[in-house]
Amino acid sequence: MDTAMRDFLCCALVTSLESANTFWGQCKSRSYVLFSRLSVGLFNECAQMIENTRDNVELAPFRQDWSDFFCPTAQNILLTWFLGLTSYQENSHSIALQNTLCLSINYITEEFIQTASLQPVFDVELDLLNYDEHLQSVVIPLHALINSPFADVQIAALRILKLITRDMLKTQNKRNEEDDLGDEKLSSSHQKYLPVPFTRILDDTMTSSCILSPKLLIWDAFINSLNQFELLERVAYCNAMGPYMDQIMPHLFGLLQDSDKFKFFYSLDYR
């Protein structure tokens, strides 16, 4: 495929997603759902091609164009769609479209999450804790997605959650550290608190119909983030998680009793 054809394909991808986005959440026709699924599938194919050719020097200009223009534009639409599955998944999206959309989340990076343009969503408690507008717009929809009855939605939500857990931990504990600036102790050794979005799920006593335990997914995201902190901070954060371990461990051991579910959970590519 020559340069002109690749550019044409990527332009077609962005145009198709923008066209589908115009009616997202409004149109329920089979043709629209099929068109949307094919558009998302085209993005997945292009993104996979970029990954498979990352060592190809001749394609470096194309990868740069993809990274600078085509990919961010497409991903912004796809992320908006995914975060909106909480509103539309039961009445306007086929399972096939949902599955394809969840696959596209695998290609989202931490850098993109920081710059994505999303519909503002606010939560009073998070506002008081100084969670910024952008972080709230990502994390608030994730609560319902982590509790989704669809495993692929849960895993895609976990993928995003892992990208923002460090920011949530820092934001949640920033005020406490600022209040103790005059203390002789190092800020990293102060008592730490889990993010409110975490504790809302961990404190939930309702019986869940999810395939994967939301509490276990929260624990997974938490563990994944620890290597981004210094040793004393890790200890403090683990102490904050300690009271919830009695709830989490039964879910983990429960996976051992279900070999199929265990293989499914640990064969996933979390990147």
Side-chain angles (χ1 to χ4, degrees), residues 114-129:
Q114 302 294 335
T115 59
S117 177
L118 301 171
Q119 186 71 25
V121 183
F122 296 100
D123 178 278
V124 174
E125 186 175 9
L126 298 184
D127 240 6
L128 292 174
L129 291 169

Side-chain angles (χ1 to χ4, degrees), residues 194-254:
L194 296 181
V196 166
F198 277 19
T199 57
R200 287 176 179 174
I201 292 177
L202 293 171
D203 289 333
D204 190 358
T205 58
M206 297 291 291
T207 302
S208 173
S209 60
C210 302
I211 295 178
L212 300 174
S213 165
K215 297 179 189 293
L216 189 56
L217 298 182
I218 292 296
W219 179 74
D220 191 357
F222 172 77
I223 294 298
N224 182 75
S225 71
L226 290 180
N227 65 354
Q228 302 174 70
F229 296 97
E230 296 179 357
L231 179 59
L232 288 177
E233 288 180 293
R234 295 180 201 174
V235 172
Y237 282 125
C238 286
N239 288 338
M241 179 62 79
Y244 295 100
M245 292 310 297
D246 286 343
Q247 302 177 43
I248 294 171
M249 294 310 294
H251 292 290
L252 183 59
F253 288 122

